[in-house]
Structure formats: C-alpha cells, structure tokens
Amino acid sequence: MQKLIGVAALSLLLAGCSDRLPADATEAQSGDGTDTIELAEFPDRPYWGDTHLHTDVSVDAFGFGVRLGPEDALKFARGEQVTATTGMTAKLDRPLDFLVIADHSDAMGATRRLYDAPRMMVRDPTLRRWYDMMHESPEQSTRAVAELITAAANDEIPEALRDPAQQEKNTRELWDRHLDILDRYNEPGRFTAFAGFEWTLMPGGNNLHRVVMFRDGSAKTGEILPYPGIDGEVTGLWDYMDAYEENTGGKVLAIPHNSNLSNGMMFELTGPDGGAMSAQYARRRAAREPVVEATQIKGDSETHPFLSPNDEFAGFGVAGWELGNLPLTAKATPDMYAGSYVRSALLRGLTLEQQLGVNPYAFGLVGSTDSHTALATGDEDNFFGKHTGNEPREGRAMEGQNLGTRVGRFGWHYLAGGYAAAWARGNTRAEIFDAFMRREVYATTGPRMVVRLFAGFDFTDGDWDGDWVRAGYTRGVPMGGELEDSGKAATFLISALKDPDGANLDRVQVVKGWVDASGEAREKVYDVAWSAREMDGASNSPVPPVGDTVNRSEATYENSIGASELRVTWTDPDYAEGQRAFYYVRVIEIPTPSWVLFDAKRFGLDLPADVVEANVIQERAYSSPVWLRPRRAPGDGPPIMDER
C-alpha cells in the first residue's frame, strides 16, 4: 500500500507533536552511545524495554483512532504522564529503559493524510468510502482499517495506494522528523530511543512481520528510508539490511513476531521457493534475525498444548489466536502449529543444523507490546488496550475483536503485553543492541522478574558463595551462548528474582530440546526449583500446584505463597554425548488476576464464570536458550555466534 491521494500539497500533520521538543540533541544523544558513559565490567542488570510500539504514523493505528505521536510515546516510556487518545491520563508506574517505535513502513502516515484531505479530492471509490467511515465514528473507522488490512492480505489494495514516488516523498519527511525526535529523547545512561520500523509481509493474511531495529543515530539512519514489505520477500529485507550496513557502517537486526498467526509459515523447513532450505539461506536468517518476539498482546508464541502435550503450562495466551491468521482469511489446522511456535522452531533448527551444518532458528527470545495506542504498557492493572478502540471502557473485555469477521476472538483474549529485558553493561544504543545480537536477552509477559542463566561444565553449588556472575562469564556462557560438547553433561547456574512490585515465584523450569540418536527431535520440561510446598514422594516427582490466593471479585492476590527468589545449580540428567540440544529457562509466577478482572472490578462487570477462571493467570519469563553442539571436526565451519 503506497499513496493515498495524489495531492502533493496535503500537509503531513502529526498529532501529539505540538509540545516543545527537548533541546537540540548533543553529539552523545545522536550517536550510538559508545564512549559516552562508564560501563560495567560485565552486564550488570537487565534493561527493560518495548521493541514494538505503534503511534499515529502507522496506517492502521491512526485508523483505529490513536492520535498520539512518537513524542508522546517517548515521554510515556520515560515515565512522564500523557493524555491517552480517549482522554484518560496515562502513566507508567516504572519508566522503561529503552523503546523502539516500530511504525509500519508501508504507507507511513497515509491514513492521517486521507483523513485530513478535502473529501472532493479523494476520487477512488474505495478510498472515499473508507474516508467517510473514518469520519463517521470510531467504530466505523476501525472497520475501515479492518477492510484495508483484509484488502492487503488479499492483494486488493486500490491502485491509488500504489504510487512509490509520492510515498517515498511522504515517508522522507516523516522519517527525518522522527529521527530528530529520537535523538532528542535519547539520553545515554538514562533512556535509549532506537530507530526502527515494522516490515509487514503478510501473504494471504499470514503473519510474517518483522520489527527492524537500528543500532545507530540519525547520522546513519538518515541515509535510508524504511523498507516497504507487503509485496516483498524476506530475502529482500535482508538485502536492504546488508546494503545499509555496507553503505553506512551501521548495524541493524530484524525481530520476527506473532509467529502464532503465521499458519505455519514463519518457521518453515523449506526455503522461500518451497524447495529444500539451503545452508546459505539458513546462515542469512540466523545472522539477520538473532531474536524472536515470543509474547505480546496478540497472544503467546512459546508453544501450544498440541505440540507439547506433557507440558502443563503450554496453553498460556493461546485461546483465540490459534484459530488462524490475523484477519482470519485462512484458518489454522494442527499440522501448521510446528511452524508457528517458538519451541518447535528451536527443535526444527537442531534438525536443520544436522542436515545443513547451520541452524537458521538459533534465536533468542524477547517480549514486547505491539500496542497501537502509543502507550508501551504491559502491566495488567494499567492495560490501555491493543488499539484506541479498546482503551479502558466497560465493554472491551467481551467484545468481538477479530478483524473483519468478528468471530472467534474477543477482547479478553488479548494479553496485557510483554517486555524485553537486555543484559547490558550500560543503557546505550550500542550496549543494548549488542545484547540483542549476542542473544543475552529474555522475554516476560509483563512482570519485571530478574532472570539469569549461565551454562558450563564445572559449576558447583559453591559458586553461589563467591562472585558467581564473574564465574559464569569466565567459566561458562550466559543465555544466548553456545557450548561445545565436552563429553560430560552441562551444568547451569540459574537465578530468578521476583518483580519487586509484583507476584512471588511459583517455580523455575528448564525446557530442553534435543535430537536423539535416531534423529528424532524431542523435548522435555524439568522442574528445577520451586517454592516450599508438600511433595508426594521423591523430590523429582511432579511438583503440585502452588495454590491460588486470587480474589476474583476484587482483582487482588496475596504473596502468602510462592518465593521471592529461586536459584539452583542444575545438571542435565538426560545428557548423551554428541547430542545437539538447547536449554532455556521458564520462570512461572503464582496465580494473579489479569487485566480482565481488573476491568470487572473497575466497571462492575458480571463476567461469565469460564471467562473469570481463564483470567486467573500465571505470568512468566522465558530466557534465551543456550545451545549444546557436538564437537567440531577439523575443517568444520565456525559456530553461529562467530558468524554474527
């Protein structure tokens, strides 16, 4: 989708940008932050952020009603109070450390320009109908954008939206102003504002979207424009990224998201032409897409009960989203799930590595919001909705939300969001970006628990009594790292601290995936640490539920169960020499109320009993994996990490 109307004189108005900007950006603010602050010796804390936020610049977000722009988004993320589109005051209880505003690269600002145009100059009948709907009411505006998204999925975008030259001109004006705002709000050591955009490939409505994230400031990002994606191919995006780095000396990565809405296409076993995947293609994907967004408002993509029937926690954030792609133009069937969920993709990566010598799905995990309100909040008690149409109000939990059909998905299927945590030596563009590249990052469904993981071959319980972080970095690898098989089982130092403002922890689990001697990909979930409770039989017997203190009618809970901290030294009991394997940590909180129960209390709602029970949830964190690889024979190529 490109140009909305061919009138160059239309102004590029941006809501939310009328306030005075901060003072002109300094050299430190406009760069990548290198040498601007004193750095820790090792990554010393997780920095919290959202890598997937939309403002009124996005073609869909404006149509859905948002009137807040990039500056409002940055103010909110930094902890300032703003006024939401629907008039409520909005403020985070705790600021974020970094933000990627990821407005759609296709038709940037287009719905705003259509909305602001004189009606008599909108000659295309489809665009005129959408224009009228956008001006009729918020509900009709949302329907207009739903139609636009479905048209894009079906390759039926009006020709008036396909003028590349005009779109390039419009995008250049928006992008230059956007980069200026980012630099002004970027403050090394305090808050990091990243340049980025969302690349929106969706063949047949199947979600193959990526967020593109730059390490650099405007001196380099100003040399390019966001890359359009609806009619593209992923290899074209990678070519764009290659060219950016070659021409500017900068760095860029891509983050796939909502694989759960891809109908099996996100993590395929084949190449882009449907034939066998090549080693070159696998190598490019691994290098260009080092992390994946595993959880966000539109559901959780870790795994599915069909894929992981022995995992009692496999069903989180699945309801409604498992039905098919985003506009439900194509329904999902169980045979598609393995290509749609992260754990199965990690398993597929091991199998492909055995065949190709390279793992295309050796990625780390992050969470983010994908909010289209310009408000990056993932907190259950402060959920401002997926888009302006479901900002806080009485009816949003039970309303149909699926684009176009209004069948199968309801407001209560939305999660409150997710966040990305990056282990870094300081809060700068370079340090946080580099943490993403080495995969020393993790995902949460919103709470800010502190999760740390090291893997090696000689860790013992005694390491906890000393400088165990130094031991982890000097004698092992952190999350995101790779180990070469030494002939003995790997041992892990695992530490989890509760969110200081949140719920206690139920348990810590290790999820292992491996390829067995027969070549079959297998998975297993190990409970490795848990809060005090009565156990039946041996310590390795199934851990019983932690309990439930949630008061459904009051949307409250008590931290009278669970633990504030869990740590363990764990050695893989099922190790076999020569295995290809991955291990990631999943941290589970005690039951708490979701945003739906907070809404019920706030608005006096009488919700169906099944909806109430579905919204007593156990939020969680997912670490990036550590990979165990067989010993390399002389002449073998380098590991994936070396290629990055």
Side-chain angles (χ1 to χ4, degrees):
M1 70 184 73
Q2 300 294 333
K3 173 189 167 189
L4 276 178
I5 67 176
V7 183
L10 289 180
S11 61
L12 297 172
L13 300 177
L14 285 177
C17 293
S18 58
D19 293 341
R20 185 180 64 84
L21 290 167
D24 288 344
T26 65
E27 184 176 350
Q29 289 176 289
S30 60
D32 64 18
T34 300
D35 298 327
T36 59
I37 64 171
E38 184 176 352
L39 301 176
E41 181 180 3
F42 303 112
D44 62 342
R45 54 154 287 195
Y47 290 90
W48 292 97
D50 184 359
T51 63
H52 191 176
L53 182 71
H54 294 268
T55 74
D56 68 350
V57 175
S58 283
V59 64
D60 55 351
F62 182 88
F64 286 143
V66 70
R67 297 298 182 264
L68 302 186
E71 189 173 359
D72 295 295
L74 290 160
K75 288 179 178 180
F76 181 80
R78 284 168 55 106
E80 297 180 42
Q81 181 172 295
V82 302
T83 301
T85 297
T86 49
M88 293 170 286
T89 58
K91 189 175 187 294
L92 285 173
D93 289 337
R94 293 169 288 179
L96 295 177
D97 298 306
F98 64 92
L99 180 67
V100 182
I101 296 176
D103 284 312
H104 294 287
S105 59
D106 289 281
M108 277 189 160
T111 41
R112 183 63 188 253
R113 290 191 296 277
L114 175 62
Y115 185 89
D116 289 335
R119 186 178 185 276
M120 65 180 178
M121 300 183 73
V122 184
R123 298 184 178 90
D124 182 274
T126 300
L127 295 183
R128 180 170 287 198
R129 183 164 55 82
W130 290 345
Y131 175 97
D132 290 340
M133 293 170 72
M134 290 171 64
H135 283 82
E136 180 179 337
S137 67
E139 293 75 20
Q140 285 300 308
S141 183
T142 297
R143 285 187 176 276
V145 173
E147 289 185 16
L148 188 155
I149 292 171
T150 301
N154 295 331
D155 195 23
E156 296 173 353
I157 290 291
E159 285 300 318
L161 291 177
R162 299 177 184 271
D163 182 341
Q166 185 63 39
Q167 182 59 29
E168 181 176 344
K169 176 182 180 295
N170 294 334
T171 300
R172 170 53 67 189
E173 294 184 43
L174 284 168
W175 185 243
D176 287 348
R177 177 174 175 81
H178 181 62
L179 296 179
D180 180 59
I181 293 172
L182 292 175
D183 282 352
R184 292 170 186 247
Y185 277 88
N186 185 58
E187 190 174 346
R190 179 190 173 196
F191 181 82
T192 295
F194 285 101
F197 61 86
E198 180 172 346
W199 183 76
T200 316
L201 180 64
M202 50 186 301
N206 299 316
N207 189 98
L208 296 179
H209 302 183
R210 273 84 167 166
V211 167
V212 176
M213 173 180 172
F214 295 90
R215 187 181 194 258
D216 315 297
S218 58
K220 294 178 179 178
T221 54
E223 295 185 26
I224 49 87
L225 288 176
Y227 182 68
I230 282 183
D231 298 322
E233 298 288 345
V234 71
T235 51
L237 175 65
W238 299 339
D239 290 342
Y240 164 88
M241 296 167 71
D242 289 345
Y244 170 78
E245 293 190 348
E246 181 179 348
N247 293 333
T248 69
K251 293 184 179 180
V252 60
L253 60 83
I255 309 172
H257 70 86
N258 276 126
S259 57
N260 60 330
L261 299 175
S262 72
N263 278 355
M265 293 182 65
M266 184 66 84
F267 304 122
E268 292 184 302
L269 289 166
T270 59
D273 60 356
M277 185 181 293
S278 69
Q280 179 187 20
Y281 178 88
R283 188 172 290 109
R284 287 194 81 192
R285 178 154 187 166
R288 283 290 161 219
E289 301 180 358
V291 298
V292 164
E293 185 183 292
T295 191
Q296 63 133 276
I297 287 174
K298 298 197 304 297
D300 190 278
S301 300
E302 186 216 3
T303 192
H304 187 283
F306 178 84
L307 300 169
S308 304
N310 297 321
D311 182 354
E312 63 182 304
F313 293 99
F316 183 82
V318 167
W321 307 108
E322 64 185 341
L323 299 176
N325 59 17
L326 179 59
L328 273 183
T329 54
K331 293 185 178 181
T333 54
D335 60 294
M336 298 175 179
Y337 291 161
S340 297
Y341 289 88
V342 164
R343 189 186 302 175
S344 293
L346 292 168
L347 288 167
R348 286 184 166 191
L350 298 180
T351 301
L352 288 165
E353 183 181 26
Q354 195 162 9
Q355 300 168 5
L356 304 173
V358 60
N359 184 344
Y361 303 133
F363 48 67
L365 308 182
V366 296
S368 283
T369 66
D370 194 12
S371 168
H372 283 54
T373 64
L375 305 175
T377 171
D379 302 322
E380 302 291 344
D381 62 352
N382 193 29
F383 179 51
F384 268 80
K386 163 65 177 175
H387 53 78
T388 298
N390 59 16
E391 287 188 5
R393 58 186 179 80
E394 182 176 348
R396 65 174 177 166
M398 297 304 298
E399 288 177 346
Q401 294 294 324
N402 185 64
L403 296 172
T405 67
R406 299 289 176 183
V407 173
R409 292 182 183 136
F410 300 92
W412 66 269
H413 289 143
Y414 284 124
L415 305 184
Y419 283 137
W423 282 103
R425 297 181 300 165
N427 191 358
T428 69
R429 286 169 172 161
E431 287 297 313
I432 293 173
F433 182 96
D434 291 350
F436 275 65
M437 285 301 300
R438 66 177 182 267
R439 304 175 297 205
E440 199 172 351
V441 294
Y442 63 96
T444 85
T445 56
R448 303 190 195 185
M449 61 276 278
V450 178
V451 181
R452 198 143 215 184
L453 163 68
F454 293 103
F457 297 109
D458 66 351
F459 294 136
T460 69
D461 285 337
D463 285 311
W464 296 112
D465 297 327
D467 188 347
W468 62 274
V469 171
R470 179 178 296 276
Y473 281 113
T474 56
R475 292 172 21 227
V477 298
M479 64 178 72
E482 297 186 355
L483 289 175
E484 186 171 319
D485 192 354
S486 70
K488 63 185 292 189
T491 297
F492 299 81
L493 297 176
I494 303 168
S495 171
L497 302 174
K498 71 178 286 290
D499 181 332
D501 294 343
N504 282 342
L505 306 179
D506 169 6
R507 66 186 74 190
V508 173
Q509 300 175 311
V510 171
V511 178
K512 178 185 178 183
W514 73 98
V515 178
D516 66 18
S518 68
E520 181 181 355
R522 302 178 60 189
E523 68 173 69
K524 187 173 181 178
V525 179
Y526 303 85
D527 289 311
V528 299
W530 52 88
S531 56
R533 66 195 74 175
E534 293 294 326
M535 297 289 290
D536 294 327
S539 61
N540 61 353
S541 64
V543 177
V546 68
D548 182 350
T549 67
V550 176
N551 183 320
R552 275 73 167 159
S553 61
E554 295 297 319
T556 60
Y557 68 95
E558 297 179 5
N559 269 331
S560 56
I561 57 175
S564 61
E565 178 181 9
L566 294 170
R567 64 168 50 172
V568 65
T569 309
W570 181 78
T571 302
D572 179 6
D574 296 313
Y575 163 78
E577 188 171 359
Q579 278 183 353
R580 296 182 187 275
F582 64 80
Y583 306 83
Y584 67 88
V585 167
R586 185 170 63 182
V587 179
I588 308 289
E589 284 189 345
I590 66 171
T592 54
S594 84
W595 69 267
V596 176
L597 299 191
F598 282 102
D599 264 22
K601 171 63 176 176
R602 178 179 185 178
F603 297 114
L605 306 179
D606 184 16
L607 298 174
D610 61 331
V611 173
V612 171
E613 291 309 306
N615 284 282
V616 176
I617 60 175
Q618 289 189 258
E619 301 214 66
R620 56 207 56 203
Y622 310 121
S623 80
S624 291
V626 168
W627 285 265
L628 179 67
R629 301 183 57 166
R631 286 193 190 91
R632 290 178 180 81
D636 282 356
I640 290 295
M641 289 294 287
D642 290 348
E643 294 177 353
R644 288 179 179 150

